[in-house]
Amino acid sequence: MQSPIRVLFLKSLRLEIQSRCRSAEATFVRNCSAISSAHITSDTKCTPWKDLAKNFLQEATNYPKSLETKYIPMKSSKGKSKASEVRHIVDYRQIRTVGGNGGDGSISFLSVFKVDRAGPDGGDGGNGGHVVFQAKQGLRSLSHLSSFIHAPNGESGGNKDCHGKDADNLVVQVPLGTVFKYKGATVASLEEEGSMFVAARGGAGGKGNAFFKTDVDQAPRVSEFGGNGEIFEYEVELKTMADVGLIGFPNAGKSTLLRAISRARPKVASYPFTTLNPYIGMVQYADYHQLAVADIPGLIEGAHRNRGLGIDFLRHIERCSCLLYVLDVSQPEPWRQLEILMYELEQYQKGLSLRPHAVVANKIDVQNSEENVAALTKVIDLPIVPVSAKMGHQLVPLLSLLRLLVDQKDKTT
């Protein structure tokens, strides 16, 4: 039987443990609820581009004619394509490269007029071709890459000392900034125009029996097989897919916005996850400069845990220089969307959400959206552009701001 003092001590200890558990749980809940807002407030402080972008946006909205030429967007005089096929961008491929095999050497003996045994005349085989990747300006996608790339084989040797023809190298052109990884390690990065990477070397051609003729053996009956080409499997990805990436929840209006500012034709519908692959549109400016804007498939809460379209589409965001958060302001408390989006990016890669970015308050043509935009302006301290992608309202200040963000990104890199 326990003493009364021991019973009272155990009761007090149990109550203290329960109170500490409740306190720890409450602290954990507060931290979880505040972690997203921390990305919007504390992490965005001391960013040199933020104040510049806010002042520039105010000038572009109120005094659009005072902007420099490079900030003035131009409408394309060419209409949208009427082709039924709409191509999406591919920024990641797994490929298998095989070098060409060398040609076999020949076993042959020469027989001419009045000389039946003129000696061996078997020629050597030709060398196999290499698989070579070359960086080229103007390409944006890896969609033209096949999953299996095989260089041509060398020709076999013939009689009368005829050597086989060397195979031509297979040169495959890829966009600038293409990265090749082998077993997770980066083996090549093509950053400059014309730079090359030999992915698989071709095999050497085999020697014919004429090569093996010696003073001791005047009629060798031996030749070599051609060497086999190298075989390697690579992960090919683009370091930079686009200058600007459109990020938002499903049905936030990203595809509609891309259609409004470029000639791209991503699918638009009233159900979520309409966009399953990234699409790129080109925005032109008065100084003949072009920006690539990518429509990223919609993200949902828990995307860094592979929910929704998952981690594969977070990788697309990683390859964008600047970010544009597209919020649906027809929904109440639109800043919650921004908190979730930035939190998912930070969970995938620390610092990803802090790249030069701005907020697009889309669907201002919907009822009660103006009140939500006013509340959004009070909550977050970021450049906010209220637009209506469907009606085409306020798109010119947005495009001018995109050029500013990209220029600031280029200065810091």
Side-chain angles (χ1 to χ4, degrees), residues 170-365:
L170 178 59
V171 180
V172 182
Q173 295 178 337
V174 293
L176 293 177
T178 302
V179 178
F180 295 85
K181 293 183 178 180
Y182 178 70
K183 295 183 178 180
T186 301
V187 294
S189 180
L190 306 182
E191 304 291 343
E192 299 180 358
E193 173 81 16
S195 56
M196 295 185 179
F197 166 59
V198 180
R201 297 183 181 274
K207 301 296 183 181
N209 67 334
F211 175 82
F212 297 99
K213 178 182 177 181
T214 63
D215 295 338
V216 178
D217 189 359
Q218 292 290 321
R221 295 181 177 273
V222 62
S223 66
E224 289 181 341
F225 290 111
N228 294 327
E230 295 179 338
I231 301 176
F232 290 106
E233 293 183 357
Y234 296 99
E235 295 179 1
V236 187
E237 59 185 39
L238 296 180
K239 180 179 292 186
T240 302
M241 179 182 68
D243 299 306
V244 182
L246 303 180
I247 307 170
F249 279 14
N251 283 122
K254 303 181 296 299
S255 299
T256 305
L257 180 60
L258 186 64
R259 276 176 166 262
I261 64 177
S262 70
R263 297 181 60 245
R265 298 185 299 121
K267 184 178 179 180
V268 175
S270 58
Y271 53 85
F273 297 110
T274 307
T275 303
L276 298 178
N277 296 289
Y279 291 86
I280 282 189
M282 305 304 297
V283 179
Q284 301 178 359
Y285 290 86
D287 62 344
Y288 303 103
H289 184 77
Q290 290 184 340
L291 291 184
V293 182
D295 176 18
I296 308 296
L299 299 178
I300 63 172
E301 190 172 4
H304 70 280
R305 298 192 185 99
N306 216 21
R307 293 180 181 174
L309 297 179
I311 295 177
D312 288 340
F313 296 97
L314 286 170
R315 293 174 182 166
H316 299 313
I317 302 174
E318 185 182 0
R319 301 181 185 115
C320 297
S321 301
C322 301
L323 307 179
L324 201 61
Y325 295 100
V326 182
L327 308 183
D328 183 0
V329 294
S330 65
Q331 303 295 326
E333 298 184 349
W335 57 88
R336 300 296 182 189
Q337 305 174 33
L338 181 61
E339 292 176 359
I340 295 174
L341 292 173
M342 299 185 76
Y343 176 75
E344 293 298 328
L345 297 188
E346 286 298 313
Q347 292 300 306
Y348 172 71
Q349 182 185 102
K350 188 173 179 59
L352 180 58
S353 66
L354 301 182
R355 293 181 179 181
H357 57 273
V359 176
V360 175
N362 193 21
K363 302 184 182 181
I364 59 173
D365 55 307

